Amino acid sequence: MNAPIDVSFFARNAKPLTSYRPYWAKRFGVAPFLPMSRAEMEQLGWDSCDIILVTGDAYVDHPSFGMAVIGRVLEAQGFRVGIIAQPDWQSAEPFKALGKPNLFWGVTAGNMDSMINRYTADRKIRSDDAYTPGDVGGKRPDRAAIVYSQRCREAYKDVPIVLGGIEGSLRRIAHYDYWSDKVRRSIVVDAKCDLLLYGNAERALVEVAHRIAAREPIEQITDVRGTAFVRRPGDPTAEGWIELDSTEVDQPGHVEDHINPYLTTSEQAQAQGQSCSKEEGAPASDPTVKPITIHRPQGAGGVAKLPRERTVIRLPSYEQVKSDAVLYAHANRVLHLETNPGNARALVQAHGEGSTARDVWINPPPIPLTTAEMDYAFDLPYARSPHPAYADEHGKHDGATKIPAWEMIRFSVNIMRGCFGGCTFCSITEHEGRIIQSRSEDSIIREVEEMRDKVAGFTGVVSDLGGPTANMYRLGCRSPAIEAACRKPSCVYPGICQNLTTNHDPLIKIYRRARALKGIKKVLIGSGLRYDLAVKSPEYVKELVQHHVGGYLKIAPEHTEGGPLSKMMKPGIGSYDKFKQLFEKYSEEAGKKQFLIPYFIAAHPGTSDEDMMNLAIWLKKNGFRADQVQTFYPSPMATATAMYHSNLNPLKGIHRDERAERVDIVRGDKRRRLHKAFLRYHDPNNWPLLREALKAMGRSDLIGNGKHHLIPTFQPMTDGGYQSARKKNSTPGGAGKGSASSPAGKAPVKGRILTQHTGLPPRAGVKDRRK
C-alpha cells in the first residue's frame, strides 16, 4: 500500500487575517494617508504611533507599493501606523520625527533592492530612482535595510526592529554579493534586527504585531512561519527540534581534506582514518568493507519520515560557504529545495565562532493568502495617490514632483501574486513563492471602477491587468496533495507539468468584464507574458491579441540557444515561434498591425561567445534591432547567481569530481561588453569589437556588406552615442544627434529595419508620444 502524502502544512488552515480581535486604537478610524509628520498625527488625534514603518521609497498609498499594503493591513487590525519615507540617514534625528513607536519599527529598503536600484549591471551608479519624486537618485543609502535598522536602534534602542521587503528576503542566509564580489553574512546578523519577515509578509506581520501588542517579548516569537532570527547556543526555544545535516538532504559529493605535504604517506593515510596498503600489504580496496555513516536516532522511517514540522536542516556555516564555492552552491540548492510551503523544513546556518557564535534560524515559508485574504488586503481604503507632501504648489504630482514608478502603475490593477516559472535569474519566486495567489473577479472589478471614479487623469485606458506574470491568474496544480508534496523548482520547465492547469478561461472572463464597464475604453496588458502557457489556450491568445494589445506586446524568450536557456530554465525558441504564429494570425484577423517586442539577456551564466553570435544572427534574420538590452545582474540568492559565483550548476546537483557540470561564466568588462555588443549588432560603435571577436572565432564570413552578413567591413564616423529606450541610460553623442540608426527628430526611413522601441511607427490615428 502506498504511504499517504504528507500535506499537513499546506492543507492545514492558517489563521485568517480577519480573525484577530482589533487592537484598541481602531477607534481612531481610517487615516486619509498614513501620517508622515507630527502635525498629521495631531489632526488624527494621535499622541503616538503604535508602529512606525521606515521605507526607502517615497510613500505612495497604492496597493502596488509594499509599505502602503503593510501599513493599511496593520491599520485595519487597529494599529496606529506612521511612515518615515526616504529619511536622511546621516543621523538618527530624522528617525525621531514621529516619536517613539509603542510596539516596533517596521523597516524595508523599498520595492526594489537598494543596490540594484542604485547600480547598473556593470556596477555603475544610476542617476535616477523611479521611486523618488522627480526621478532623483541618491535618496536612499546603499544596503538601506542595514543602515535604516542601525539608525532606528540609535534613535530608540529598546524598540524592537522587524525587517522586511525584498532586500531582506534575498539576503536571509549567507549570500554572494555582486557589488563587493564576496559572500556576505545573513542580513539578520548585519542589520541586528530582532526579526526578519521574508516573502509576502501580511500573515506573519499581523500575528507578530498582535503578539507584541499582547506584551510577548519579541525574542520569544520564534514559531511564526516566514520569519528569520538569531539564536544563541543553548537557547531553550530550540529544544525539541531534530537537526538534520544538509548533506543528508542533498549530497554535495566527497569533500576532500587538504593534505599536509610534510607528512609521510602512512601518516597522511592515518590522518584520514585509513592505512597505507603499500606498507601493510593489504589490498588497495576491499569490496566487503563499507563506509560507516552515523545518523542521529530517527526511528524506523529514516530521514524521509522525520516529522517535518520539528525538523531543521543545518546548512554549511557562513565561514564554510565564504571560503568554499562548492559548499555555497550546495547551500543555495538546499535552500531552493525547501521553498514549498507544503513541505519545507526550517533551516539554520551558523555565523561566527567561539564567543561570537550564533545561528541564523529560518522558519518555513508562510502559508499563501487565500482569495478572501487577497481581497481583504487589496480592498482596503487606499488613496491611490502619492502623499500630499510630494505635491507641487498646484497639488499635482507632475513635472519636478512626478514619481515614475507611480506613473507606471497609476492606472493598472494587480490581480495576482507569485510565479511558478522558476527562472534562475529572477527573484520573484524566491520572494513571493511559486504558489499563485489570486484575487476574486469581483474585487478586481471593484478596483477598476474605483480607479475610474477617483484617480485624477484617468482617460478610460487601464494600463495593465496583471502581476509578476500576466497569464498565471488562477493557474496551479490539479491536486492540492501533489502541490503540497512537490519539490520541483518550476512547473513549466523542462516542459509544462502534466499536473498544472492551463485553463485561461477565468482570465478571459475578467478581461471581457473589465472592458465592458462603463467609462472603460481600453484594457491593456502590460505585464510580461508567459507565452509557453499562452499557446495552450489559443482562445486566450485571440482575446489578448484582438482586444488588449496596444500595438506592441512584450515577451521574454531571453535567448535562442539551448545552453543558456537550460541554465535559465526557459523554454526553447520553438515556443516563441508558435506564439508568434498565433499572434500574427489573430492580429491579421482583427485587421491590426501589431508587433512583438522580445527581450533577451546578455552574459547569462552558461552563455558562450558562439551563443551570443547565433543570437545576433537570429535577430538580424528576424529584423530585430534591440534598443533595450539586459545584461545579467547577479541578484542575491538567485540560482543563476550561485552559478556565477561557483561555476557549478545547482540544477544538476553539486559535486567536486567529474560528475559536476561546470558552467561558462561571463566575467570581466571586456567579455560582458562583447555579449552586449552582439545584442546591439546594428550599432556602429560596436562594430570594431565585433569584427575582432568574429575573426578570433573563425567567423570572418559574417563580416561583409551583403544582407547575409552580420556587420559591414566599412566603419563610419561615430559619435560614441548610445540611444536607450530609457532616456537617462542613453549616452549622448554630438549635439543634436541621435543614434546611428534613428537620427533625432526624423521619421523612420521607409524600408529600413525598425528598432523595437524608438523606430516603430505609431499606429494610424494615434498621436506619437515619443515627440
Side-chain angles (χ1 to χ4, degrees):
M1 181 181 295
N2 293 330
I5 297 174
D6 178 15
V7 295
S8 57
F9 281 137
F10 207 64
R12 182 182 302 159
N13 290 326
K15 188 171 182 178
L17 295 180
T18 54
S19 64
Y20 292 85
R21 182 180 179 182
Y23 191 59
W24 68 267
K26 191 174 180 65
R27 67 189 67 175
F28 286 100
V30 175
F33 282 89
L34 301 178
M36 292 177 61
S37 66
R38 286 292 188 105
E40 292 174 78
M41 289 169 58
E42 291 173 2
Q43 290 176 356
L44 295 168
W46 300 3
D47 60 349
S48 61
C49 290
D50 301 312
I51 301 162
I52 296 178
L53 305 178
V54 180
T55 175
D57 295 337
Y59 169 36
V60 179
D61 200 49
H62 187 285
S64 289
F65 285 72
M67 274 296 94
V69 175
I70 291 300
R72 289 299 187 182
V73 166
L74 288 171
E75 179 189 58
Q77 297 291 323
F79 300 102
R80 292 170 293 178
V81 183
I83 286 191
I84 298 177
Q86 296 187 320
D88 181 357
W89 66 91
Q90 303 301 327
S91 74
E93 287 305 311
F95 292 77
K96 300 178 181 178
L98 302 181
K100 183 178 179 179
N102 301 324
L103 300 179
F104 63 87
W105 295 99
V107 177
T108 178
N111 272 16
M112 280 184 70
D113 181 284
S114 63
M115 299 300 287
I116 294 176
N117 179 279
R118 176 76 165 149
Y119 297 92
T120 69
D122 296 323
R123 298 190 183 97
K124 295 179 181 178
I125 295 178
R126 300 184 194 272
S127 60
D128 56 348
D129 184 344
Y131 291 89
T132 300
D135 202 14
V136 178
K139 291 293 185 179
R140 76 186 84 208
D142 289 352
R143 313 189 196 284
I146 296 175
V147 176
Y148 290 159
S149 296
Q150 292 171 341
R151 289 303 188 209
C152 287
R153 187 72 75 197
E154 186 179 340
Y156 302 107
K157 65 179 181 180
D158 57 336
V159 177
I161 296 174
V162 178
L163 182 63
I166 194 165
E167 184 163 308
S169 279
L170 301 187
R171 290 170 166 78
R172 55 187 185 260
I173 65 168
H175 55 279
Y176 172 73
D177 184 79
Y178 174 63
W179 302 272
S180 58
D181 194 25
K182 67 180 183 180
V183 176
R184 289 179 63 96
R185 302 183 298 184
S186 164
I187 199 171
V188 180
V189 175
D190 283 344
K192 296 181 174 62
C193 61
D194 296 282
L195 202 61
L196 166 68
L197 273 55
Y198 68 87
N200 295 138
E202 290 95 341
R203 190 182 301 286
L205 189 59
V206 167
E207 179 178 348
V208 168
H210 282 288
R211 289 172 67 171
I212 294 177
R215 300 187 178 181
E216 183 175 350
I218 194 168
E219 58 269 16
Q220 294 181 15
I221 303 177
T222 60
D223 58 343
V224 179
R225 295 178 66 106
T227 62
F229 49 89
V230 168
R231 269 193 169 125
R232 298 285 180 177
D235 190 326
T237 61
E239 293 181 3
W241 285 86
I242 303 169
E243 188 174 298
L244 186 66
D245 191 86
S246 63
T247 57
E248 298 179 60
V249 178
D250 190 74
Q251 177 60 251
H254 181 60
V255 180
E256 296 283 353
D257 292 327
H258 292 291
I259 295 176
N260 187 339
Y262 300 102
L263 298 179
T264 65
T265 304
S266 60
E267 288 173 333
Q268 291 175 6
Q270 186 177 3
Q272 298 178 40
Q274 301 170 352
S275 62
C276 180
S277 59
K278 291 183 179 179
E279 291 185 4
E280 298 182 8
S285 62
D286 186 348
T288 64
V289 177
K290 302 294 183 183
I292 298 175
T293 304
I294 299 175
H295 298 283
R296 293 174 181 80
Q298 297 165 0
V303 172
K305 294 299 181 182
L306 290 175
R308 287 181 175 269
E309 66 273 12
R310 299 301 296 172
T311 300
V312 59
I313 299 173
R314 180 166 290 280
L315 300 172
S317 70
Y318 159 68
E319 285 73 20
Q320 288 177 302
V321 300
K322 180 182 180 181
S323 60
D324 190 336
V326 173
L327 289 181
Y328 178 90
H330 161 71
N332 182 273
R333 177 174 164 85
V334 172
L335 179 138
H336 283 86
L337 286 172
E338 302 295 333
T339 54
N340 184 345
N343 58 50
R345 290 163 285 196
L347 303 173
V348 64
Q349 186 176 52
H351 283 63
E353 298 171 337
S355 60
T356 64
R358 65 274 211 205
D359 283 338
V360 172
W361 192 285
I362 305 171
N363 282 329
I367 299 296
L369 299 184
T370 64
T371 294
E373 289 172 322
M374 284 284 286
D375 290 353
Y376 168 77
F378 279 87
D379 288 348
L380 294 171
Y382 301 96
R384 301 189 70 87
S385 169
H387 190 278
Y390 305 122
D392 59 21
E393 64 273 16
H394 305 294
K396 302 290 186 180
H397 298 280
D398 300 315
T401 61
K402 181 183 293 185
I403 303 173
W406 174 67
E407 285 292 328
M408 186 171 65
I409 53 87
R410 185 177 183 179
F411 305 122
S412 69
V413 174
N414 195 330
I415 66 175
M416 47 76 69
R417 286 181 185 168
C419 179
F420 49 69
C423 300
T424 61
F425 54 83
C426 182
S427 303
I428 293 173
T429 302
E430 286 144 355
H431 181 59
E432 296 191 6
R434 63 185 178 89
I435 308 299
I436 302 302
Q437 303 160 76
S438 302
R439 297 170 62 185
S440 71
E441 183 181 319
D442 288 343
S443 174
I444 295 166
I445 295 302
R446 277 196 302 271
E447 185 172 349
V448 174
E449 292 175 328
E450 184 178 10
M451 180 173 64
R452 175 197 63 191
D453 299 337
K454 296 181 180 179
V455 178
F458 183 68
T459 61
V461 179
V462 178
S463 62
D464 189 24
L465 285 182
T469 304
N471 60 320
M472 286 188 183
Y473 178 77
R474 292 207 177 282
L475 300 188
C477 195
R478 300 180 192 276
S479 166
I482 293 175
E483 184 174 53
C486 182
R487 293 168 71 79
K488 289 177 61 178
S490 172
C491 300
V492 291
Y493 183 86
I496 295 176
C497 178
Q498 61 182 359
N499 296 312
L500 181 70
T501 59
T502 57
N503 181 14
H504 286 58
D505 290 348
L507 194 53
I508 295 172
K509 187 177 179 184
I510 285 179
Y511 287 178
R512 291 173 177 172
R513 186 173 169 186
R515 72 172 187 261
L517 290 174
K518 183 179 180 181
I520 301 299
K521 301 176 184 176
K522 186 82 174 178
V523 177
L524 300 174
I525 303 304
S527 299
L529 187 78
R530 190 80 194 199
Y531 54 85
D532 52 343
L533 281 174
V535 296
K536 296 292 183 179
S537 176
E539 184 184 1
Y540 169 75
V541 178
K542 182 176 182 179
E543 187 78 16
L544 174 75
V545 170
Q546 297 191 347
H547 299 284
H548 302 282
V549 174
Y552 315 103
L553 180 68
K554 61 182 180 182
I555 57 175
E558 308 297 5
H559 218 285
T560 58
E561 306 305 295
L565 287 173
S566 68
K567 307 304 182 294
M568 300 175 186
M569 289 209 300
K570 292 285 288 187
I573 199 66
S575 295
Y576 166 82
D577 293 332
K578 291 177 185 176
F579 180 78
K580 185 172 183 288
Q581 290 174 2
L582 290 176
F583 181 88
E584 292 174 346
K585 172 186 175 183
Y586 295 130
S587 293
E588 186 177 356
E589 285 182 5
K592 295 183 177 181
K593 190 68 173 176
Q594 301 185 138
F595 303 89
L596 283 177
I597 302 177
Y599 287 78
F600 298 94
I601 292 181
H604 190 278
T607 308
S608 67
D609 297 350
E610 288 74 15
D611 289 331
M612 291 307 301
M613 176 190 71
N614 291 332
L615 173 55
I617 294 171
W618 185 92
L619 287 170
K620 181 162 188 179
K621 179 181 177 182
N622 287 274
F624 286 115
R625 290 186 170 185
D627 277 334
Q628 198 170 52
V629 175
Q630 290 178 287
T631 308
F632 171 65
Y633 206 151
S635 60
M637 216 174 83
T639 298
T641 303
M643 296 179 193
Y644 181 88
H645 175 58
S646 67
N647 286 85
L648 298 173
N649 184 5
L651 301 175
K652 297 291 187 181
I654 301 301
H655 306 281
R656 291 189 184 275
D657 53 27
E658 64 278 356
R659 293 175 295 166
E661 181 180 344
R662 304 288 168 177
V663 179
D664 183 10
I665 303 301
V666 185
R667 288 193 177 91
D669 289 342
K670 182 175 181 180
R671 195 167 176 221
R672 285 173 70 88
R673 280 200 309 270
L674 173 62
H675 282 216
K676 197 172 180 179
F678 271 120
L679 275 182
R680 287 183 52 80
Y681 67 91
H682 55 280
D683 186 346
N685 292 296
N686 293 326
W687 291 349
L689 178 62
L690 291 176
R691 284 194 202 96
E692 179 186 348
L694 289 172
K695 289 175 183 176
M697 295 163 64
R699 293 305 307 269
S700 299
D701 57 299
L702 293 176
I703 304 171
N705 302 323
K707 291 184 178 180
H708 60 285
H709 294 112
L710 184 62
I711 55 174
T713 55
F714 64 89
Q715 182 64 39
M717 292 292 293
T718 60
D719 56 16
Y722 168 70
Q723 182 69 32
S724 169
R726 187 176 179 186
K727 292 180 181 179
K728 289 198 174 185
N729 282 355
S730 298
T731 302
K737 296 179 181 179
S739 70
S741 61
S742 181
K746 294 184 180 180
V749 177
K750 186 177 181 180
R752 176 180 293 173
I753 297 177
L754 302 174
T755 59
Q756 292 178 13
H757 298 275
T758 58
L760 289 172
R763 288 174 292 135
V766 177
K767 184 180 179 180
D768 187 354
R769 296 180 181 177
R770 293 168 288 146
K771 295 180 179 179

